[in-house]
């Protein structure tokens, strides 16, 4: 079945530094979505990428969808303490409607 | 206000009992999902539904059952056949599977 993997599992970042988290699917995707879950909370939708090679920005967050539509990345610049949480990618297969989540990247920010 | 509501927030049950978790949305969304999250882990799909009276098994459907009799409601029953039911259960909905999903606040189920 479809698998979505994320690396790294944990990311300890010094405040002000940049980091990137990566998402890889075992199958070609129709679209990929990114979510953020704060500690003790529920996932909140951030963005959806649909086109091959697509790049979208939200303030300090840059999202990219790979050319083959099997991988994606999230890059955060100038990390702040408000960025703490777990970032999940979720893929939808081209041939189906199932939304499959990756294992997430847990981000801790050192002030 | 439009949204997706899960109840209760915390639920305790004795081992061997079935328990039903509620999920209601007033967003007029067609698609609804149930996920399970264990401490420090990702979200695993239990069941999903694209339209009323239709649903599909996710990756970990064993020991769970659902119904979709109304567009607004997608209750999840955790049966006694589920070997490790203690977990955080999240319900979500979306316009279709091709759009971002909105999540409820979740239900933390503890089976003792």
């Amino acid at each position: 079945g479809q698998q979505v993997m994320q690396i790294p599992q944990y990311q300890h970042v010094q405040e002000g530094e940049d980091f990137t988290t990566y998402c890889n699917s075992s199958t070609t995707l129709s679209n990929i979505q990114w979510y953020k879950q704060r500690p003790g909370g529920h996932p909140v939708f951030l963005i959806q990428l649909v086109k091959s090679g697509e790049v979208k920005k939200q303030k300090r967050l840059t999202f990219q969808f790979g050319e083959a539509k099997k991988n994606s990345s999230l890059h955060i610049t100038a990390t702040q303490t408000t960025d703490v949480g777990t970032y999940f990618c979720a893929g939808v297969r081209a041939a189906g409607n199932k939304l499959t989540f990756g294992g997430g990247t847990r981000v801790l920010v050192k002030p | 206000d439009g949204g997706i509501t899960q109840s209760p927030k915390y639920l305790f049950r004795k081992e061997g009992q079935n328990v039903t978790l509620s999920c209601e949305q007033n967003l007029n969304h067609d698609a609804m999902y149930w996920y399970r999250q264990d401490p420090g882990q990702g979200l695993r799909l239990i069941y999903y539904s694209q339209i009323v009276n239709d649903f599909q098994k996710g990756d970990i459907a064993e020991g769970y059952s659902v119904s979709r009799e109304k567009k607004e409601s997608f209750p999840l029953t955790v049966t006694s056949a589920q070997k490790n039911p203690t977990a955080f259960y999240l319900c979500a909905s979306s316009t279709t599977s091709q759009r971002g999903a909105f999540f409820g606040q979740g239900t933390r189920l503890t089976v003792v």
Side-chain angles (χ1 to χ4, degrees):
Chain A
Q2 178 190 4
Q3 289 190 329
V4 178
M5 309 295 290
Q6 278 186 259
I7 56 170
Q9 188 175 0
Y10 298 94
Q11 182 79 56
H12 293 223
V13 190
Q14 190 73 43
E15 190 174 12
E17 292 185 342
D18 303 350
F19 75 91
T20 303
T21 176
Y22 299 90
C23 177
N24 293 287
S25 170
S26 58
T27 59
T28 302
L29 299 171
S30 170
N31 70 79
I32 196 152
Q33 301 166 19
W34 285 88
Y35 294 78
K36 178 181 179 181
Q37 184 178 26
R38 294 184 184 275
H42 59 279
V44 174
F45 174 70
L46 294 177
I47 206 161
Q48 175 180 272
L49 304 170
V50 178
K51 298 176 183 176
S52 171
E54 188 171 14
V55 178
K56 287 188 177 180
K57 292 190 176 183
Q58 286 182 350
K59 297 182 180 178
R60 296 178 294 103
L61 278 61
T62 301
F63 304 84
Q64 187 166 6
F65 201 8
E67 293 291 338
K69 300 185 75 172
K70 293 181 73 172
N71 57 71
S72 181
S73 64
L74 161 58
H75 181 77
I76 299 182
T77 58
T79 303
Q80 300 176 359
T81 55
T82 54
D83 295 325
V84 166
T86 300
Y87 293 83
F88 292 98
C89 65
V92 178
R93 284 177 68 174
N97 296 316
K98 193 173 147 182
L99 183 61
T100 301
F101 278 75
T105 293
R106 288 154 191 80
V107 176
L108 298 173
V109 179
K110 294 177 281 187
Chain B
D1 288 341
I4 180 166
T5 302
Q6 289 186 244
S7 61
K9 191 172 181 180
Y10 299 95
L11 190 55
F12 295 86
R13 279 293 182 270
K14 290 185 178 180
E15 193 173 343
Q17 292 180 337
N18 291 357
V19 59
T20 297
L21 280 57
S22 169
C23 179
E24 303 279 333
Q25 54 98 0
N26 60 5
L27 300 166
N28 199 34
H29 286 172
D30 290 311
M32 295 188 76
Y33 307 84
W34 273 106
Y35 291 91
R36 170 182 172 140
Q37 187 174 36
D38 293 287
Q41 302 298 313
L43 280 69
R44 292 186 289 169
L45 183 63
I46 306 173
Y47 270 98
Y48 64 108
S49 169
Q50 300 301 305
I51 56 172
V52 175
N53 292 322
D54 187 46
F55 49 83
Q56 289 79 41
K57 291 182 178 180
D59 300 312
I60 56 165
E62 186 175 350
Y64 300 98
S65 65
V66 293
S67 63
R68 188 84 187 276
E69 296 177 1
K70 298 187 299 182
K71 189 174 185 178
E72 303 79 18
S73 179
F74 191 40
L76 172 74
T77 297
V78 185
T79 75
S80 56
Q82 168 51 232
K83 289 182 172 36
N84 297 297
T86 294
F88 185 42
Y89 291 89
L90 286 156
C91 180
S93 70
S94 67
T95 50
T96 68
S97 62
Q98 306 294 321
R99 301 287 182 93
F102 288 81
F103 279 82
Q105 299 287 327
T107 293
R108 294 189 185 276
L109 173 65
T110 301
V111 176
V112 295

